[in-house]
Amino acid sequence: MKKITRRQALGFAIGAAAVVGLSACSSSKAPATAAIGAEASGSPSVPPFSLPSGGIDEVYEGHRIQITLGEGGQHGGHHLPAMPVVKIDGNELHIMRNADGSWVSVVNHYETFPDPIAAAKAAIRDLQGTQLAPFGPHEGGSTS
């Protein structure tokens, strides 16, 4: 009985991996094209973030959370919506919105949250009673 050589086994494994990889690529093409088309059509799939008039000002676990809308801007000729400015005890908590509409913060960037207030409350819990440190030169941080 003839045995299969290592070279033949390696060739078979590489061929099988290529087939699996190509089939995965071809099946994921349609959603990517649809997402690009939806973005190009100008209809955002994620609704813009809105705050009550006057923003949010509340105390959570002994820390003051303030959320206001910052100024919008422009990038490459496109108007950017105003991002919320989140402050905990007067220090800014940097947050970012993900493509799916969820939010992350610099304190807890491995977990997503449904809105900036939930991200701020999670940051307070993660700080475990310590103060949020100023971030960057515009908030009293060092530039070196």
Side-chain angles (χ1 to χ4, degrees), residues 71-144:
E71 296 180 17
Q74 287 199 352
H75 180 70
H78 298 286
H79 177 72
L80 298 175
M83 288 292 293
V85 176
V86 179
K87 292 188 177 189
I88 298 175
D89 297 330
N91 291 321
E92 186 173 350
L93 172 69
H94 292 266
I95 61 170
M96 182 179 79
R97 192 166 198 184
N98 295 321
D100 66 355
S102 63
W103 297 83
V104 294
S105 75
V106 72
V107 172
N108 193 337
H109 54 273
Y110 292 112
E111 186 178 356
T112 59
F113 302 96
D115 52 39
I117 191 71
K121 288 178 179 180
I124 289 172
R125 288 189 302 271
D126 286 349
L127 289 170
Q128 298 178 2
T130 60
Q131 293 292 315
L132 181 65
F135 188 76
H138 62 282
E139 294 185 36
S142 72
T143 57
S144 56

Side-chain angles (χ1 to χ4, degrees), residues 2 16-18 29 33 38 40 47-48 52-53 59 66 68 78 99 105 116 132 135-136:
K2 186 176 177 184
K29 247 184 194 175
T33 306
S53 63
V59 175
Q66 296 171 298
T68 58
H78 298 286
S105 75
L132 181 65
F135 188 76

Side-chain angles (χ1 to χ4, degrees), residues 11-36:
F12 177 74
I14 290 172
V19 168
V20 169
L22 289 174
S23 66
C25 289
S26 66
S27 67
S28 67
K29 247 184 194 175
T33 306
I36 291 170

